[in-house]
Amino acid sequence: MADVTLKINGIEVTVPEGTTILEAAEKAGFKIPTLCHDPELSKPGACRICVVEVKGARNLAASCVTPVAPGMEVLTHSEPVINARREILDLLLSNHPEDCLTCDKMGECALADYAYEYGVRRGSYQGDKNVYPIEDNNPFIVRDMNKCILCGKCVRVCDEIVGYSVIDFINRGFKTKVAPAYDVTLAESNCVFCGSCVTVCPTGALTVKDTRGKFRPWEVKRVKTTCPYCGVGCNFDLLVKDDKVVGVAPNPTSEVNGRFMCVKGRFGYKFIHSGDRLTKPLIKKNGELTEASWDEALTLVAEKLGEIKAKYGSDSIGVLASAKCTNEDNYLLSKFARAVLGTNNIDHCARL
């Protein structure tokens, strides 16, 4: 593939043919705001906040969908560009709730960040505003369509990454909104509640139900870990506040799953601080389960397995592996069954 050389803000940049202006600008170190753009999704060029000035062009160009061309001269922050971005933010904020101080997205809201960067305090256009009821009739996600800016990221991630196509744009014009077919709630749809839509949403339109009002983004420490549920090995961040896990968030550096998870990994973390959780081994003594040390418990297990093997033979013992273990742990369990216990009676819980 041939290279293309252009100038961005007077600096010469060389990129492969087919690169967009946005990608070339990022390579050159220039930050262009985006709301509908996501590098892992298709490019609709819808929000227009990424417009730039191209010398000789009749109109400002959406940088996320405009490919570079040889000799192109681009200005990313000229006066017409700044004015256009402010106008777009003005239009968005004119039909947006003004509850930023109490919004759970504050600190991670792209719309609020850009409004601050470009000095747009509030929307100036008067007229009707959409007023939708807040949808919270499911255990995982709160949908506030009053804060939706129709960027379409949630629609595209559900279709292109998750593959369920649960939501799409419905209605037309001012009444356009994102919803499942027939405008039902997520709880009434075939949504699998993976939370991918929450991950890509740039505003407070989609938030995690369980963490609302519990912390601000800057109050938590992020600790990367591996999901304990299946053997795929997805990574994500535990959100820790006051030495307690208060939530889970995707980590883009995760090699297996990237930013996306299933419903278990995204929302199934409450067992960590559950009062029902076993934190010490239990041994039955005189008909009652009592706490024991690991040494005592493992010694007892080894003695009992040895007694059973000596009395009834190796094939009297069966081993059941777990999908929650890593591949390496299950491999060792197989070796333990065959080499130590001397039995081929090993199976996997996924067959149940």
Side-chain angles (χ1 to χ4, degrees), residues 37-311:
H37 174 76
D38 189 292
E40 295 184 71
L41 303 176
S42 58
K43 302 175 176 62
C47 71
R48 317 305 285 185
I49 200 169
C50 71
V51 292
V52 294
E53 186 176 355
V54 178
K55 186 176 181 180
R58 185 175 59 180
N59 298 316
L60 298 179
S63 62
C64 68
V65 292
T66 304
V68 298
M72 180 182 277
E73 295 184 27
V74 177
L75 296 176
T76 64
H77 288 76
S78 65
E79 185 176 351
V81 168
I82 298 297
N83 290 337
R85 291 174 184 166
R86 285 175 176 161
E87 183 68 13
I88 291 167
L89 290 169
D90 191 348
L91 288 165
L92 290 173
L93 293 176
S94 293
N95 188 30
H96 198 85
E98 296 181 351
D99 64 346
C100 294
L101 292 177
T102 57
C103 180
D104 280 86
K105 193 73 172 183
M106 178 52 67
E108 295 179 319
C109 176
L111 181 62
D113 290 343
Y114 293 146
Y116 176 80
E117 180 180 348
Y118 288 91
V120 183
R121 294 178 59 86
R122 60 175 54 87
S124 65
Y125 290 94
Q126 304 299 312
D128 292 339
K129 286 190 175 185
N130 288 316
V131 180
Y132 299 115
I134 295 177
E135 180 188 318
D136 62 354
N137 65 335
N138 69 77
F140 307 112
I141 298 172
V142 175
R143 298 177 76 236
D144 185 352
M145 291 296 95
N146 302 295
K147 297 179 181 178
C148 177
I149 60 172
L150 300 176
C151 68
K153 283 184 177 180
C154 58
V155 175
R156 283 175 281 141
V157 75
C158 191
D159 177 44
E160 299 169 12
I161 302 294
V162 184
Y164 271 78
S165 305
V166 173
I167 51 178
D168 207 335
F169 294 107
I170 66 170
N171 304 331
R172 296 177 68 84
F174 181 71
K175 296 186 179 297
T176 301
K177 71 172 185 175
V178 174
Y182 305 109
D183 199 13
V184 299
T185 64
L186 289 182
E188 299 169 294
S189 72
N190 63 336
C191 176
V192 296
F193 294 103
C194 64
S196 297
C197 56
V198 180
T199 297
V200 299
C201 181
T203 69
L206 297 169
T207 53
V208 176
K209 186 174 184 177
D210 188 58
T211 60
R212 285 170 66 89
K214 292 187 176 179
F215 59 84
R216 290 297 197 182
W218 55 85
E219 294 179 327
V220 295
K221 177 183 177 182
R222 298 176 73 115
V223 180
K224 189 175 182 181
T225 189
T226 301
C227 180
Y229 280 99
C230 76
V232 171
C234 294
N235 294 137
F236 50 70
D237 287 345
L238 296 177
L239 306 180
V240 181
K241 179 182 179 182
D242 299 329
D243 295 325
K244 184 178 181 179
V245 175
V246 293
V248 165
N251 187 314
T253 65
S254 303
E255 294 185 6
V256 174
N257 59 301
R259 295 179 295 160
F260 307 113
M261 297 179 280
C262 74
V263 62
K264 290 183 179 180
R266 191 70 162 85
F267 301 109
Y269 61 89
K270 291 184 181 179
F271 70 89
I272 297 173
H273 301 292
S274 171
D276 297 328
R277 183 181 179 188
L278 295 178
T279 57
K280 294 182 179 179
L282 299 178
I283 292 177
K284 185 173 286 188
K285 296 179 180 178
N286 300 321
E288 292 186 3
L289 291 172
T290 58
E291 289 187 356
S293 67
W294 281 105
D295 286 342
E296 183 182 2
L298 291 173
T299 299
L300 178 63
V301 170
E303 290 175 352
K304 292 294 184 181
L305 287 174
E307 291 174 5
I308 295 170
K309 179 180 177 181
K311 187 174 182 178

Side-chain angles (χ1 to χ4, degrees), residues 305 309 313-319 333-346:
L305 287 174
K309 179 180 177 181
S314 297
D315 285 338
S316 65
I317 302 173
V319 179
L333 191 60
S334 175
K335 285 292 187 182
F336 173 77
R338 293 182 168 92
V340 178
L341 297 178
T343 180
N344 289 322
N345 296 334
I346 181 167

